Amino acid sequence: MSTEYPVRAAAEARSLTELETRLVRCRACPRLVAWREEIALAKRPAFADWEYWGRPVPGFGPGDAAMMITGIAPAAHGANRTGRMFTGDRAGDLLYATLYELGLASQATATAPDDGLELYGVRVTAPVHCAPPANRPSTGERDTCRAWLVREAQLMQPAMRSVVVLGAFGWQAALPALGEAGWCVPRPRPSFGHGIRTTLTPAGPAGTELTVFGCYHVSQRNVFTGRLTPVMLRQVLAEAAYRAGLPVERPGPG
């Protein structure tokens, strides 16, 4: 499959449902295709009875969400196994538990696509939709996959008011994608940092402002080392939700 497939297929999608259908067929990055499928066959012993998803993982949450959360890429034995973003791994445990505390999720746990989890006003996605070796996509893979995030943001544009970007890699991927999707990104681009925020103005007359927040990634390593605490995560998510007009209390100083 050509690397031109994501650009063409994403641009032709007229709804998020159609976008997801096209996305899960993507085989544009040979290294990622080989890895996601190898992991799906090898499995982890604890999940030997699972039939791994082993395909690109689409975004999760309502299409009219006012707030987007985007990270890096699916985890090999998390979303690559379950087929749903941040589902079945420690990073998702913290993310969804925090969204639940804020009243933005129906439950605190995310274990499988049929577990009943719903998100309220929030959609979770990624700039790279396939699990990468060592959790590190290449810049070429990031750029090839960008068209999916661009189109997802365009389709969410009428309602979307804030974006939380998890990690520096996600920040470097999200800002160009949002620029292509119809917002003006400041130049020079703001550097990533936890708690940083920048406001993007719409490129056209019909758009609305978008506030983009930086947040350390919810990885096990960041949590175990204390670089990211649950309080720090809650602060950023609450502020982003408030800016998006979601029903949360405005957070006080962190």
Side-chain angles (χ1 to χ4, degrees), residues 123-160:
R123 184 172 173 88
V124 182
T125 189
V128 176
H129 288 270
C130 293
N135 292 321
R136 293 181 181 177
S138 70
T139 55
E141 290 159 351
R142 176 199 68 192
D143 294 345
T144 297
C145 206
R146 180 181 296 157
W148 301 114
L149 184 58
V150 170
R151 189 60 181 147
E152 191 169 13
Q154 288 174 334
L155 291 168
M156 293 176 63
Q157 193 276 337
M160 191 164 68

Side-chain angles (χ1 to χ4, degrees), residues 83-254:
R84 193 176 70 188
M85 285 290 175
F86 282 104
T87 298
D89 60 34
R90 295 289 180 86
D93 290 346
L94 176 58
L95 178 63
Y96 289 124
T98 307
L99 290 174
Y100 176 71
E101 289 177 14
L102 294 171
L104 302 175
S106 63
Q107 61 192 45
T109 57
T111 56
D114 59 355
D115 60 10
L117 175 64
E118 294 182 56
L119 301 183
Y120 307 132
V122 179
R123 184 172 173 88
V124 182
T125 189
V128 176
H129 288 270
C130 293
N135 292 321
R136 293 181 181 177
S138 70
T139 55
E141 290 159 351
R142 176 199 68 192
D143 294 345
T144 297
C145 206
R146 180 181 296 157
W148 301 114
L149 184 58
V150 170
R151 189 60 181 147
E152 191 169 13
Q154 288 174 334
L155 291 168
M156 293 176 63
Q157 193 276 337
M160 191 164 68
R161 300 293 179 270
S162 72
V163 178
V164 175
V165 182
L166 303 174
F169 181 96
W171 186 262
Q172 293 164 1
L175 290 182
L178 293 171
E180 289 186 32
W183 285 273
C184 297
V185 178
R187 292 190 178 278
R189 289 180 196 156
S191 299
F192 173 77
H194 181 80
I196 193 173
R197 69 189 66 178
T198 186
T199 299
L200 310 185
T201 57
T208 57
E209 287 189 344
L210 186 69
T211 307
V212 184
F213 294 79
C215 179
Y216 289 143
H217 197 277
V218 289
S219 66
Q220 279 187 274
R221 180 177 181 180
N222 281 348
V223 174
F224 286 166
T225 60
R227 189 181 196 201
L228 178 70
T229 67
V231 172
M232 291 167 64
L233 176 64
R234 192 181 195 281
Q235 184 79 16
V236 174
L237 293 180
E239 183 63 40
Y242 180 83
R243 289 296 183 96
L246 296 174
V248 299
E249 291 186 13
R250 186 170 194 178

Side-chain angles (χ1 to χ4, degrees), residues 44-76:
R44 180 173 283 171
F47 306 123
D49 59 340
W50 273 78
E51 182 177 347
Y52 274 49
W53 173 256
R55 286 175 280 169
V57 180
F60 169 56
D64 60 353
M67 174 175 159
M68 172 192 281
I69 300 173
T70 180
I72 299 175

